[in-house]
Amino acid sequence: MIIDDWIYLSALMLSTSFGFFVRKVENAQNRQLICTVIGFILLFMVSGVYILHPLLLTIVNATIVLYTSKRFCHVISFIFCFTYLMFLRTSEYFGIPSPPEIACTAIMIMVLKMVGLAYEVNIHALKAGSTDENDKLKEIYSRINPSFFDIIQYSFCYAGILVGPYYKFRTYEDLFHKPFSSCVSHTTFLKKRILVIPVYSCLYLLSDYLFPLSLASSVEIWEFPFSYRVFYVWPWFFSFRMRIYVAFVFGECICISLGLGAYPEKSSTQPGAGPTNLNALKEIENDPKSLKMITYNFETVRCMNEMASEFKPTIREGIRYWNMTVQYWLAIYIYRKTAASKPIKMIVTMFVSAIWHGVYPGYYLSLLGTPLLLISEIEVEKAFRKHVSETQQKIYDYVCSIVYLDCEGFD
């Protein structure tokens, strides 16, 4: 592990501990301010003067959300954020130093939050005045009226600032203005989630020791036989996944320790989306006595379902359980908003995802190739899998899982 990895890991571990102290602050506004100050300090520590980029991104977006038409603010925000992100990715080509990698990760998360906020404002504006009862309830719950300072605080809240998960402004507000975060057993959920981190860490260190990434990126790799170079993709991709799991699980733990994303289980929460059963949520809120007795979860801030992502045989299932809050953002704000046929919607969504990830060709090769793989998978299932025995289906699923890992590893 390089020094930046240790700094990053230390920042994540430190962030996990903050929640225990922040929760003890009774005043909601003070808690909100403390979360912002911690986030700003953390980001300054890992980015230095490059913190000006997140500041500029947030200030411009706050201006867009507050002072442009609610019907078009999401489009303006999207264009600005992704243009600015592409500028940061390519600034070195113009002689302008690019931010450190950790700072770039934080900016990526901020882009999702700022564009997502603009979409939240837009969606609420479109639903306002609806006579449908379900739409009325959604309109009431999704109603947000952020101030300039609220947007700054949402952007710089330390929970999720270094690694994610993505969470909506509504979820952020619920942390300070709903009773759920003070009623949930944070320690129980935190213990359950944090226990897997040492396992993933050891697997990563072992894999990286036996099959170091430095070899894969050096000229020495070409001295090995072709078959070995092909094989090397597997352990390298395994190391990559373990490293990602450690970071994302830490991101979840930071939110759990703070209480961000805690909702009653009856409200049918989903990663990124938050509560989807608003009637159940309303009933629970109207019955304060039940708050201590009901079951809660943190599915709203769940980034990964590692077991499903590793062992589900199909590409679409593997994607569904990987970085789930970002998948939600892409599905709701890009896929559903694209007025086109299903294949085109998939291509547009994956193209946006590729831009968000970076400028390296591998991102575009991998993500823009995914729609073709998904369509092929569906057609093969229709033509073959549904018409064979259970044993043959298992063999088919096993082969598909190998092909899926091969595709992702080479990309």
Side-chain angles (χ1 to χ4, degrees):
M1 292 176 68
I2 59 176
I3 187 64
D4 283 351
D5 291 334
W6 286 112
I7 293 173
Y8 190 46
L9 183 61
S10 300
L12 293 176
M13 293 174 67
L14 187 63
S15 298
T16 305
S17 66
F18 290 144
F20 297 100
F21 305 102
V22 175
R23 291 201 316 268
K24 294 179 181 179
V25 179
E26 294 184 4
N27 184 276
Q29 289 184 337
N30 289 341
R31 285 203 311 274
Q32 196 171 358
L33 182 60
I34 291 170
C35 289
T36 306
V37 172
I38 292 173
F40 190 90
I41 292 172
L42 279 173
L43 196 52
F44 180 74
M45 287 172 60
V46 299
S47 60
V49 295
Y50 293 100
I51 198 172
L52 292 173
H53 290 299
L55 272 172
L56 178 61
L57 184 78
T58 304
I59 290 170
V60 172
N61 269 281
T63 305
I64 291 170
V65 168
L66 295 175
Y67 301 109
T68 62
S69 170
K70 300 297 183 286
R71 295 189 176 276
F72 305 107
C73 64
H74 60 299
V75 177
I76 301 170
S77 174
F78 179 89
I79 293 171
F80 168 72
C81 283
F82 277 84
T83 301
Y84 194 74
L85 190 60
M86 286 297 289
F87 162 72
L88 293 179
R89 302 286 195 191
T90 58
S91 61
E92 287 187 340
Y93 297 111
F94 305 102
I96 303 171
S98 59
E101 186 177 347
I102 302 176
C104 283
T105 303
I107 293 169
M108 288 171 66
I109 300 299
M110 283 187 176
V111 165
L112 297 184
K113 290 167 78 173
M114 292 297 97
V115 176
L117 171 61
Y119 269 103
E120 285 185 74
V121 170
N122 168 258
I123 290 169
H124 174 259
L126 294 177
K127 286 183 178 178
S130 174
T131 56
D132 184 86
E133 287 300 320
N134 288 328
D135 282 345
K136 278 185 179 180
L137 193 58
K138 289 179 182 177
E139 190 270 332
I140 292 170
Y141 181 70
S142 64
R143 186 180 297 159
I144 57 173
N145 187 28
S147 66
F148 191 90
F149 193 51
D150 286 335
I151 296 173
I152 298 292
Q153 293 194 112
Y154 169 55
S155 182
F156 280 89
C157 177
Y158 80 89
I161 198 169
L162 295 179
V163 65
Y166 161 76
Y167 50 88
K168 299 192 296 186
F169 184 81
R170 175 76 272 164
T171 303
Y172 171 75
E173 278 213 322
D174 286 350
L175 170 65
F176 303 105
H177 303 294
K178 299 285 185 185
F180 310 128
S181 64
S182 60
C183 299
V184 68
S185 175
H186 304 80
T187 306
T188 301
F189 285 97
L190 190 60
K191 283 181 179 178
K192 183 179 178 181
R193 202 68 183 108
I194 208 168
L195 283 175
V196 300
I197 291 179
V199 177
Y200 297 147
S201 299
C202 290
L203 289 172
Y204 164 71
L205 292 172
L206 178 62
S207 178
D208 192 56
Y209 174 76
L210 296 174
F211 305 97
L213 176 60
S214 57
L215 175 61
S217 57
S218 69
V219 294
E220 296 174 9
I221 191 68
W222 298 102
E223 298 175 6
F224 292 88
F226 175 76
S227 57
Y228 183 79
R229 297 201 302 270
V230 172
F231 160 78
Y232 208 88
V233 171
W234 282 67
W236 177 85
F237 188 46
F238 177 82
S239 297
F240 168 79
R241 296 199 307 276
M242 294 305 108
R243 182 176 175 175
I244 290 292
Y245 290 159
V246 169
F248 280 173
V249 174
F250 259 124
E252 292 177 29
C253 290
I254 292 167
C255 294
I256 291 171
S257 71
L258 181 61
L260 178 66
Y263 288 104
E265 200 168 76
K266 288 183 179 179
S267 64
S268 303
T269 53
Q270 294 179 3
T276 59
N277 187 344
L278 298 181
N279 287 310
L281 188 71
K282 185 179 179 181
E283 288 176 8
I284 293 167
E285 282 190 85
N286 292 336
D287 183 16
K289 293 181 180 179
S290 68
L291 290 173
K292 293 284 186 180
M293 302 166 60
I294 60 175
T295 305
Y296 292 88
N297 65 38
F298 283 91
E299 283 299 305
T300 300
V301 291
R302 181 80 182 272
C303 284
M304 288 284 193
N305 185 331
E306 303 92 73
M307 293 300 103
S309 185
E310 287 289 323
F311 298 110
K312 289 290 184 181
T314 63
I315 296 172
R316 63 180 179 276
E317 286 179 306
I319 292 173
R320 183 182 302 158
Y321 296 109
W322 176 275
N323 206 354
M324 292 186 285
T325 59
V326 174
Q327 296 293 343
Y328 165 81
W329 189 95
L330 289 168
I332 297 298
Y333 301 138
I334 306 301
Y335 184 85
R336 291 190 183 180
K337 294 291 183 179
T338 302
S341 62
K342 192 172 182 179
I344 299 299
K345 288 158 77 85
M346 284 195 291
I347 291 171
V348 170
T349 302
M350 290 302 170
F351 182 66
V352 171
S353 180
I355 294 174
W356 182 71
H357 278 88
V359 295
Y360 295 114
Y363 294 131
Y364 297 85
L365 176 64
S366 172
L367 293 166
L368 289 178
T370 299
L372 180 60
L373 290 173
L374 289 171
I375 293 169
S376 301
E377 181 181 73
I378 292 169
E379 293 303 317
V380 171
E381 280 192 1
K382 288 179 182 177
F384 175 74
R385 191 181 185 279
K386 292 183 178 180
H387 306 289
V388 297
S389 66
E390 186 176 341
T391 302
Q392 289 173 317
Q393 285 183 359
K394 289 181 179 179
I395 295 172
Y396 170 83
D397 290 343
Y398 176 73
V399 172
C400 283
S401 65
I402 294 175
V403 171
Y404 169 62
L405 288 176
D406 268 344
C407 291
E408 292 303 308
F410 277 104
D411 291 340

